[in-house]
């Protein structure tokens, strides 16, 4: 059966079914017609999926049949139901799936930072070539610490949050390129390493750690999670496994874009730490404990809620019929 020919023959009936599915109430005549059209469209979809599952016609009819089925079964899903599924199943499962990729990007990021710092500190003239001596002193003695204090706490926290959230969303969304995320990890790691080298070279290493660790632990963790999600999408595109390339890419993108939404919230909490805790004259151990506690909370959330979902066969993706590539049909 040619999908294009079937669409030409039965397209008007599909459109009518779609129109009926949008009605809040159906009179007896419309309800009988709706049921007939739904069964016919389901059979058409089954035929099309058999010969051309990735065709545009299959995708279009799948949406129509799914909408009709939802209308027929009367199981609407409100915003609260969708939010609960997102928070309790989809997000933690997606985060837990990234644990090994997260380990890999963390090693790469921290390794690039350490290598950059060691190279800059042990190569004669390297720091002076990167930054004039006077600028180094200003950075180490004033600018590094003042960066966290020069603006009101709330303004600083909001600015940090929006900037980091934008970076996280970009890294997930543009992860399909592969190169974008790897380059971003390398550049950020090298920048952190060079900053540490300047602080160490001017005997201000204590300021470096006391100001970067409280917020840096959860903040960098969130950014690395975004990098892991982006690279996971890239791998699904390169190695689709048992699916077509398009199906594998769509599945990973649906699942892992939920990570971007979750990171916006996690980075908001990290922004509060950076805006209100980092510049606060609290004991350093207490400030670092706040950052460590937030990070451990993210890991516990992903493990305690996400691991059972994966063990039960879930993966953070939408249900098959809601995802659009499989639809329960009626005969």
């Amino acid at each position: 059966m040619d999908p294009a020919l079937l669409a030409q023959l039965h397209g008007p009936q599909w459109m009518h079914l779609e129109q009926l599915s949008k009605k809040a109430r159906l009179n007896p005549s419309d309800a009988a017609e709706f049921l007939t059209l739904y069964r016919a469209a389901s059979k058409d979809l089954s035929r099309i999926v058999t010969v051309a599952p990735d065709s545009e016609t299959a995708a279009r009819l799948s949406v129509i049949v799914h909408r009709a089925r939802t209308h027929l079964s009367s199981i609407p899903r409100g915003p609260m139901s969708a939010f609960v599924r997102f928070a309790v199943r989809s997000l933690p499962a997606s985060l837990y799936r990234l644990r090994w990729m997260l380990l890999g990007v963390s090693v790469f990021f921290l390794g690039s930072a350490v290598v950059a710092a060691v190279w800059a500190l042990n190569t004669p003239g390297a720091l002076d070539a990167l930054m004039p001596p006077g600028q180094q002193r200003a950075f180490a003695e004033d600018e590094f610490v003042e960066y966290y204090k020069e603006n009101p706490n709330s303004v600083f926290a909001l600015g940090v949050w929006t900037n980091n959230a934008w970076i996280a969303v970009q890294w997930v969304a543009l992860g399909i390129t592969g190169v974008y995320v790897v380059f971003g990890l390398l550049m950020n790691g090298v920048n952190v390493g060079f900053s540490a080298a300047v602080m160490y070279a001017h005997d201000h290493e204590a300021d470096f750690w006391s100001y970067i660790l409280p917020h840096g632990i959860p903040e960098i963790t969130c950014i690395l999670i975004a990098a892991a999600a982006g690279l996971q999408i890239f791998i699904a595109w390169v190695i689709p496994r048992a699916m077509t390339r398009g199906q594998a890419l769509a599945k990973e993108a649906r699942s892992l874009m939920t990570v971007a939404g979750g990171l916006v919230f996690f980075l908001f909490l990290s922004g509060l730490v950076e805006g209100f805790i980092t510049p606060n004259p609290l004991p350093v151990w207490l400030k670092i404990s706040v950052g460590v506690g937030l990070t451990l909370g993210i890991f516990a959330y992903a493990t305690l809620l996400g691991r059972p979902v994966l063990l039960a066969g879930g993966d953070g993706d939408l249900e098959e019929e809601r995802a659009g590539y499989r639809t329960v049909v009626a005969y």
Side-chain angles (χ1 to χ4, degrees):
M1 173 61 66
D2 182 7
L5 178 60
L6 193 62
Q8 186 176 3
L9 293 174
H10 294 174
Q13 289 90 336
W14 299 346
M15 291 180 62
H16 189 40
L17 174 63
E18 186 175 21
Q19 292 170 354
L20 291 175
S21 300
K22 295 178 181 179
K23 289 187 176 181
R25 293 179 179 275
L26 298 175
N27 59 43
S29 175
D30 285 342
E33 184 179 18
F34 175 87
L35 186 57
T36 300
L37 292 172
Y38 170 67
R39 287 173 173 168
S42 296
K43 292 179 181 179
D44 289 341
L45 178 60
S46 180
R47 295 190 188 101
I48 295 173
V49 168
T50 301
V51 297
D54 296 324
S55 65
E56 182 180 349
T57 302
R60 173 191 166 209
L61 184 56
S62 179
V63 172
I64 294 174
V65 171
H66 170 64
R67 182 178 295 160
R69 176 175 173 270
T70 301
H71 191 71
L72 180 67
S73 59
S74 300
I75 48 172
R77 300 194 178 184
M80 183 55 67
S81 175
F83 174 76
V84 170
R85 177 180 173 80
F86 169 82
V88 176
R89 290 182 59 84
S90 299
L91 177 58
S94 296
L95 289 171
Y96 189 73
R97 284 179 57 228
L98 293 172
R99 60 194 183 280
W100 298 117
M101 183 65 76
L102 175 61
L103 177 61
V105 299
S106 298
V107 170
F108 179 76
F109 172 81
L110 294 175
S112 62
V114 171
V115 168
V118 171
W119 176 83
L121 286 171
N122 292 278
T123 303
L127 281 179
D128 292 343
L130 294 169
M131 185 183 296
Q135 190 174 344
Q136 291 180 45
R137 284 192 299 273
F139 177 82
E141 296 173 2
D142 298 308
E143 293 175 4
F144 184 84
V145 172
E146 286 302 315
Y147 168 75
Y148 299 96
K149 299 179 178 180
E150 60 186 359
N151 292 305
N153 292 350
S154 57
V155 174
F156 182 56
L158 179 61
V160 166
W161 172 47
T162 54
N163 178 69
N164 289 334
W166 174 238
I167 292 174
V169 171
Q170 279 185 306
W171 282 21
V172 176
L174 298 178
I176 189 174
T177 65
V179 176
Y180 185 87
V181 173
V182 173
F183 181 77
L185 284 170
L186 182 61
M187 289 299 97
N188 280 273
V190 169
N191 286 336
V192 170
F194 286 159
S195 296
V198 172
M199 298 297 286
Y200 267 81
H202 292 82
D203 299 321
H204 285 277
E205 61 271 18
D207 286 338
F208 176 79
W209 293 114
S210 64
Y211 276 87
I212 202 171
L213 286 181
H215 68 276
I217 295 174
E219 178 183 292
I220 292 175
T221 297
C222 288
I223 296 300
L224 293 178
I225 290 173
L231 289 177
Q232 190 73 27
I233 294 174
F234 172 71
I235 290 176
W237 177 64
V238 175
I239 309 173
R241 298 181 186 246
M243 300 181 181
T244 66
R245 200 176 300 277
Q247 287 176 334
L249 179 59
K251 181 179 180 63
E252 288 292 352
R254 282 192 306 269
S255 176
L256 296 176
M257 281 305 292
T258 62
V259 172
L263 290 178
V264 170
F265 174 70
F266 295 147
L267 285 168
F268 172 73
L269 299 180
S270 175
L272 293 180
V273 173
E274 186 167 358
F276 292 91
I277 302 297
T278 297
N280 197 293
L282 293 169
V284 174
W285 67 265
L286 180 58
K287 294 194 290 184
I288 294 176
S289 297
V290 172
V292 171
L294 177 55
T295 305
L296 291 178
I298 296 173
F299 288 149
Y301 167 75
T303 302
L304 295 179
L305 294 182
R307 186 170 182 272
V309 174
L310 263 66
L311 291 177
D315 57 8
D317 192 9
L318 297 173
E319 302 98 318
E320 291 182 345
E321 68 272 13
R322 289 176 67 83
Y325 57 85
R326 291 186 185 177
T327 302
V328 177
V329 298
Y331 297 94

